[in-house]
Amino acid sequence: MSSTRPGPPPRDPNGPGGPDPQKAVDLPYLTPAGRRLVAPARFGPDPSGTGRGGPPMRNASLGGKRCVQVRAAAADGAGPAEAARDALDAEAAAALRLHRAFEGGPAARLFPTLLGYDLEAAEPFVLYLPPRGTRVDQLHGLSGVQLRVVERDLVDAAALLAELGLVHQGVTPATVRWDGRSVQLWGLHAVTRTGRPRTAGGTAPYASPELRGGTGENDPRDTLWSAAQVMYRLVTGQEGDPDREPADLADHRSLAHSMRSSFAPRAADRPAPAALRDLLTPGHGRAAVRDPDDLAPHRAAFDRAVALKRAADGGTGGGPDGPEADEDGVLCPSCLERISFDPQALYVPDSFQELQPYRLTAQQSHQLRADELRGAFQRCTGSPTHHVPVPYLLNGRPLTVAMIGQSNTGKSHLLAQMIAEITDDRLKPYGVSWQSVNPEQHANFLNRQVVPLRNGNVIGHTAGLGDDEPVRFVESLLITDSRGRTRPLAFFDLAGEDLLRTDALLRFLLGVDALVFVVDPLLAVPLPQLDELRASLGLRVNRDGDPAFATVLDRVPRTGPHLTVPSAVVVSKADLLRTEPPVDRWLTEPGTTPLSRRRLHEESRDVYALLHRHAGKSWLRPFDTALHCTMHIASATGGRQQDRRYPHGVRAQRVLEPLIALLAAHGVIDLPDARTAPEAGR
């Protein structure tokens, strides 16, 4: 990798001497069960040229016990590059999923034995017991019986991964080890999920033609191609054809009999791993595969909740009003009084940003007048007096979105990244374009919120409002859908303490069009891996839910037993749970994967199950109360902050999906009902 420097290859961790003797350092790490431990650690020399690809591995001892460390090494002291962190995250997620599925069973021997990990360290790492045996690229002369066992184990590993919805795309002679009794398959950084679009990569001839070309979707049968090529190398000492079965395959009758179909250039023409396993070893006992997330009963609870809401809705599926404005104007988003465009009540900011009266003149050209109005405000006579951007009054029925959650839940970071994604044209694939409602206000929002966050800085908490201060949206945009209809989109982000008030301040909720409930896993999810961070921040799990949710849900008007305001529940800071099912599935999805209603349903079902299992019913009240509600996984930063900075940089993950769901509920976006092509293999 580019983040490592050339050096001598690492010594065999099973060889004499073990790790290089060094002064021991205290190494904090998480066990697979999520417990935080600290043990004295020593590390061997930095490796290179291992031939295994992916994150570098070095010998180590942990509390006197030999192990190996796979890590995302820093590049020139600047921290790991994003690609290195992604590979290490994939390694940890795969290792944990395998550990949960096979720990203590016979299948565990096929994979590395996980000891611990820390994905928030300056150099994130994963710890394993030392590899068993010898890499098969250093072997030759195995007996026929041994070759059959290697073949059986490789196919068995592919079948077990397929049962977990995984595919190993890095099986090579350098990642397969043989100890005389069984195979151990390394290179877990190359384990990915079935059904996602293939990313071009891999090494010929061990990566299939489709994988090297980056065509189609990940398929468990990709691993069979790699296994067949590894077996050809073991049998012949030569590398096979990178695009088809070897020309001399018929000369090796046993290999041709068992693996010929696995050399098919197309995955669709190879057998399923489980079918090949049953063919090679009829009657061979299958290893038990535990459900790594154990969420089935909690997904059933989601199904019951949805059925209850459908019964209450009568199956009509009625949605909110369309984008047309009423003839008597629009609701002022702050005071809910009707307001229509009045050219006699206009103001524009002067050089000191103070609003001064402005009069339209007949001499102005149409272009000049339109430009002046884009930066103008109209006074609203509601109490207390306030001002509304003029474009908000001239472009159809506004759509207002309120961010709901107590302080420190990540609302402001999530909203900043939502706006940033919109301005990066991430809604364009859905036929939606944008422009600012007020150019100066928009520029101020970007400079105050978006730019500092994207530069790796923690942005400040939302300031509370005074008793006489009106509620104002923090940002607004004009969005135009695929039919050419334009309407304002405005976002409210109140401080947590303001959302607990019961006075007139929250009156704006009576007219809000959409709600985003932000769930902080530190407050909702009592998993042990979050305990240390909770303690450092002085937080504790609240089984009674977010008090801001309760205040808002009791304030928003209802029709019957449910709220009709479209809503979204977002588990924010999901990077804190990125190795936890089902977060590990959704957070790592490619950002280009399009949404469909089926995918929204699947994600909502998974998130509901996660909260139902760990957090309790109080955190699910928004979903149970709102008739139209989706649930989402999102991370606005991709990692934890330290000293008001994000040391690994900032990246947004799935921050726009909640808004896309809300726009679909309001008819701005049309989502297909069925799965799109990249989802077909799930």
Side-chain angles (χ1 to χ4, degrees):
M1 290 183 59
S2 60
S3 59
T4 62
R5 296 178 179 175
R11 293 168 300 162
D12 186 343
N14 293 318
D20 285 356
Q22 287 185 357
K23 181 179 179 181
V25 297
D26 286 337
L27 183 70
Y29 66 98
L30 287 169
T31 69
R35 291 179 56 222
R36 173 70 65 174
L37 299 179
V38 179
R42 300 176 187 270
F43 299 102
D46 282 350
S48 76
T50 64
R52 63 182 288 278
M57 178 192 295
R58 62 180 176 179
N59 299 330
S61 71
L62 185 69
K65 185 176 185 178
R66 287 189 303 166
C67 63
V68 293
Q69 184 195 54
V70 178
R71 77 194 197 283
D76 299 324
E82 186 170 301
R85 290 180 57 214
D86 286 345
L88 203 283
D89 281 357
E91 176 110 21
L96 282 162
R97 195 162 180 82
L98 293 170
H99 174 87
R100 290 162 180 152
F102 304 126
E103 181 194 14
R109 76 188 193 284
L110 298 174
F111 305 102
T113 302
L114 178 65
L115 294 178
Y117 64 98
D118 188 344
L119 301 181
E120 297 296 339
E123 292 186 343
F125 63 84
V126 181
L127 298 168
Y128 300 103
L129 285 182
R132 296 193 326 267
T134 305
R135 288 175 9 188
V136 301
D137 59 351
Q138 299 170 355
L139 293 175
H140 45 81
L142 294 184
S143 69
V145 172
Q146 290 175 318
L147 288 171
R148 297 289 75 75
V149 176
V150 173
E151 181 181 73
R152 179 202 68 193
D153 282 358
L154 287 175
V155 173
D156 196 19
L160 291 170
L161 287 166
E163 288 186 53
L164 296 176
L166 303 174
V167 52
H168 197 314
Q169 296 180 326
V171 176
T172 71
T175 60
V176 179
R177 302 183 74 96
W178 168 251
D179 66 359
R181 294 183 301 175
S182 67
V183 156
Q184 190 178 46
L185 186 56
W186 286 73
L188 299 186
H189 66 279
V191 172
T192 186
R193 289 191 172 267
T194 302
R196 291 182 178 173
R198 288 190 182 98
T199 300
T203 302
Y206 303 103
S208 70
E210 292 167 310
L211 177 57
R212 299 198 313 274
T215 60
E217 288 78 51
N218 298 331
D219 193 301
R221 293 169 289 187
D222 294 346
T223 309
L224 290 187
W225 168 278
S226 304
Q229 293 286 356
V230 168
M231 291 307 302
Y232 182 81
R233 165 74 178 268
L234 278 172
V235 169
T236 68
Q238 307 293 322
E239 291 192 337
D241 191 303
D243 298 313
R244 58 191 61 84
E245 75 174 49
D248 63 345
L249 183 61
D251 297 337
H252 309 284
R253 294 176 58 190
S254 179
L255 181 62
H257 172 73
S258 59
M259 301 296 284
R260 167 164 273 143
S261 58
S262 298
F263 284 108
R266 296 175 62 249
D269 297 326
R270 300 175 210 133
L276 183 58
R277 176 183 59 189
D278 294 341
L279 180 67
L280 295 180
T281 55
H284 176 67
R286 294 176 53 188
V289 180
R290 292 191 295 269
D291 182 359
D293 57 22
D294 195 25
L295 291 177
H298 307 282
R299 292 187 177 100
F302 170 86
D303 297 337
R304 291 192 295 270
V306 170
L308 287 173
K309 289 201 288 186
R310 286 177 176 165
D313 187 31
T316 62
D321 296 334
E324 294 78 12
D326 296 329
E327 292 183 0
D328 55 347
V330 301
L331 284 178
C332 171
S334 296
C335 66
L336 301 186
E337 295 292 340
R338 286 284 173 184
I339 179 172
S340 299
F341 177 63
D342 180 1
Q344 305 303 314
L346 303 184
Y347 291 76
V348 295
D350 60 18
S351 58
F352 298 100
Q353 299 305 304
E354 297 290 337
L355 291 178
Q356 303 297 335
Y358 170 74
R359 294 288 181 268
L360 294 173
T361 61
Q363 289 75 25
Q364 285 179 315
S365 67
H366 174 73
Q367 291 84 356
L368 181 59
R369 177 176 295 192
D371 186 66
E372 291 274 350
L373 288 177
R374 279 202 68 203
F377 295 82
Q378 180 170 318
R379 182 179 60 200
C380 180
T381 57
S383 178
T385 301
H386 46 281
H387 297 81
V388 180
V390 168
Y392 192 87
L393 308 175
L394 299 177
N395 289 280
R397 184 179 183 274
L399 197 163
T400 54
V401 180
M403 310 293 291
I404 309 300
Q406 65 187 75
S407 296
N408 300 312
T409 55
K411 301 194 310 296
S412 297
H413 290 78
L414 179 62
L415 178 56
Q417 291 286 36
M418 274 186 184
I419 301 299
E421 295 276 287
I422 296 172
T423 57
D424 284 346
D425 279 335
R426 298 292 171 81
L427 288 177
K428 194 171 184 179
Y430 299 93
V432 176
S433 59
W434 72 278
Q435 71 180 128
S436 62
V437 166
N438 182 278
E440 191 165 358
Q441 281 189 338
H442 178 66
N444 288 338
F445 181 84
L446 294 182
N447 291 330
R448 188 179 69 254
Q449 300 284 93
V450 175
V451 173
L453 179 57
R454 286 192 159 183
N455 285 336
N457 297 302
V458 176
I459 58 179
H461 301 305
T462 306
L465 297 175
D467 291 338
D468 296 326
E469 193 173 355
V471 174
R472 299 183 180 90
F473 46 74
V474 297
E475 173 63 320
S476 56
L477 303 169
L478 295 177
I479 55 172
T480 302
D481 64 19
S482 60
R483 300 179 181 87
R485 302 177 302 180
T486 299
R487 65 191 300 185
L489 173 65
F491 296 90
F492 290 94
D493 180 21
L494 272 68
E497 58 268 25
D498 286 333
L499 288 170
L500 299 178
R501 292 168 60 167
T502 58
D503 56 15
L505 179 71
L506 294 189
R507 191 170 293 157
F508 81 99
L509 290 171
L510 302 178
V512 78
D513 299 295
L515 298 167
V516 178
F517 295 90
V518 181
V519 175
D520 185 345
L522 292 171
L523 302 174
V525 182
L527 289 172
Q529 58 262 46
L530 302 180
D531 288 345
E532 184 182 41
L533 182 56
R534 265 190 285 264
S536 69
L537 297 173
L539 300 176
R540 61 178 180 83
V541 173
N542 187 351
R543 300 292 296 180
D544 296 324
D546 189 327
F549 291 5
T551 302
V552 170
L553 290 171
D554 290 340
R555 193 69 179 266
V556 178
R558 305 187 186 195
T559 302
H562 293 97
L563 301 182
T564 56
V565 176
S567 302
V569 176
V570 184
V571 177
S572 67
K573 305 178 186 178
D575 53 277
L576 298 176
L577 301 171
R578 61 182 179 271
T579 59
E580 191 71 26
V583 179
D584 57 351
R585 169 191 173 182
W586 293 102
L587 199 62
T588 57
E589 278 215 324
T592 55
T593 305
L595 273 183
S596 66
R597 296 190 183 277
R598 175 70 63 83
R599 281 189 64 239
L600 280 175
H601 180 83
E602 289 178 356
E603 184 178 8
S604 297
R605 193 169 185 251
D606 276 355
V607 178
Y608 187 100
L610 174 73
L611 295 179
H612 191 270
R613 177 184 182 185
H614 295 294
K617 290 288 288 181
S618 293
W619 287 96
L620 292 167
R621 191 182 170 202
F623 181 86
D624 293 333
T625 304
L627 194 59
H628 306 281
C629 187
T630 54
M631 305 189 78
H632 305 266
I633 294 291
S635 172
T637 61
R640 300 181 195 173
Q641 63 96 1
Q642 296 177 13
D643 300 323
R644 308 290 299 172
R645 291 275 306 166
Y646 294 97
H648 295 307
V650 167
R651 57 174 171 171
Q653 296 171 282
R654 300 185 60 77
V655 297
L656 203 52
E657 278 76 359
L659 180 62
I660 292 171
L662 294 173
L663 293 177
H666 278 275
V668 178
I669 288 174
D670 294 323
L671 293 180
D673 289 327
R675 296 184 182 190
T676 53
E679 303 171 80
R682 288 215 187 109

